[in-house]
Amino acid sequence: METAARTAPAAVIVGIDGPSGTGKSSTSKAVAAKLGLRYLDTGAQYRAITWWMLSNGIDVNDAAAVADAAAKPEIVSGTDPAAPSITVDGADAALPIRTSQVTAAVSAVSAVPEVRTRLTELQRAIAAEAPDGIVVEGRDIGTTVLPDADLKIFLTASPEARAARRSGELGAKEASDLLATRAALIKRDAADSGRKTSPLAKAADAVEVDTTELTLEQVIECVVTLVEERRNRDAAQTEGSDRGTREEPSAGAGPR
């Protein structure tokens, strides 16, 4: 991955992975805003290409048809954490990509290797072009998209906690709704973890944070602390390297 564009002293690339309902999106946006970093929701890109497939009559269950069309839509992601945006062929897709129809189809589209290759390249390019650093969230950031990210975090939570959060987001109140949401999350987990190309998985060097018993504010603070610790460690290493290569003053030179 090309990172030459990142020139700011505190620049850092952070990959945050995890299944739905762990607080991934809310945490990622808040951390990016607090630390002055850019933000990328890779899941929105997969939803965007899925929405395009549905809108253009592509059978999302026909992997060959999806693969043939994968390169056609133009997807542009805005990386301002205060107002992240996404357009498809110039049209604002922020609302259409959140429909239940897209949600039901996104796993099938995301499993197609040509789709993942196309979007992985786009995601790497966006990360490389963020000179002050970026928080990238998804399901395969630490393992596939940005395996050399400065910091990798994997958020987890119990199925019950995740279902309660997601039901709250969707406005579901009945116990039956909660059970249905839990079942849908588990099904999505199985699909994402079981796909052959870039499955949902925790990177070996990722820091796991269980959010089951934590408030959103506590999760955000935890991740902010992890990022700041990484920044400080990088700064100390850079300072030490600079000190080691600095020329010694000549014998006649005065004190610094």
Side-chain angles (χ1 to χ4, degrees), residues 66-255:
V66 171
D68 287 342
K72 294 182 179 179
E74 179 187 14
I75 299 173
V76 178
S77 297
T79 58
D80 179 355
S85 62
I86 187 162
T87 63
V88 180
D89 293 338
D92 183 359
L95 292 179
I97 66 174
R98 302 298 174 182
T99 63
S100 58
Q101 186 181 20
V102 170
T103 298
V106 68
S107 285
V109 173
S110 299
V112 176
E114 288 79 1
V115 170
R116 301 206 72 84
T117 296
R118 191 272 171 97
L119 293 185
T120 293
E121 291 174 352
L122 177 59
Q123 291 153 13
R124 287 173 176 166
I126 292 172
E129 293 167 2
D132 296 325
I134 190 169
V135 177
V136 182
E137 63 141 308
R139 287 172 167 76
D140 65 342
I141 308 307
T143 55
T144 301
V145 180
L146 301 170
D148 57 345
D150 299 304
L151 176 64
K152 304 173 190 177
I153 296 170
F154 193 86
L155 299 184
T156 64
S158 70
E160 291 74 21
R162 293 167 52 212
R165 293 167 184 167
R166 183 49 53 90
S167 293
E169 293 171 2
L170 299 175
K173 298 183 184 301
E174 300 294 332
S176 58
D177 291 332
L178 188 61
L179 290 174
T181 300
R182 182 180 184 277
L185 287 173
I186 292 174
K187 182 179 179 180
R188 176 73 187 274
D189 289 349
D192 290 345
S193 301
R195 64 175 177 245
K196 294 182 179 179
T197 305
S198 301
L200 166 65
K202 174 188 171 185
D205 56 346
V207 178
E208 182 171 329
V209 178
D210 189 334
T211 70
T212 302
E213 302 295 334
L214 301 178
T215 65
L216 176 59
E217 290 71 23
Q218 289 173 325
V219 178
I220 293 168
E221 184 59 32
C222 175
V223 175
V224 165
T225 299
L226 289 170
V227 176
E228 289 180 330
E229 288 175 349
R230 179 59 196 237
R231 276 178 159 177
N232 292 337
R233 187 162 64 249
D234 288 348
Q237 290 175 348
T238 299
E239 182 179 352
S241 177
D242 290 344
R243 185 181 297 115
T245 57
R246 188 180 300 133
E247 290 185 0
E248 291 296 324
S250 62

Side-chain angles (χ1 to χ4, degrees), residues 20-100:
S20 299
T22 56
K24 192 167 68 257
S25 294
S26 298
T27 298
S28 298
K29 281 187 287 188
V31 169
K34 281 178 174 288
L35 298 177
L37 305 175
R38 308 308 292 177
Y39 162 73
L40 176 62
D41 176 2
T42 64
Q45 295 179 326
Y46 284 101
R47 285 177 169 274
I49 201 168
T50 300
W51 174 63
W52 185 92
M53 296 285 175
L54 293 169
S55 300
N56 285 273
I58 306 297
D59 182 356
V60 297
N61 293 309
D62 183 342
V66 171
D68 287 342
K72 294 182 179 179
E74 179 187 14
I75 299 173
V76 178
S77 297
T79 58
D80 179 355
S85 62
I86 187 162
T87 63
V88 180
D89 293 338
D92 183 359
L95 292 179
I97 66 174
R98 302 298 174 182
T99 63
S100 58

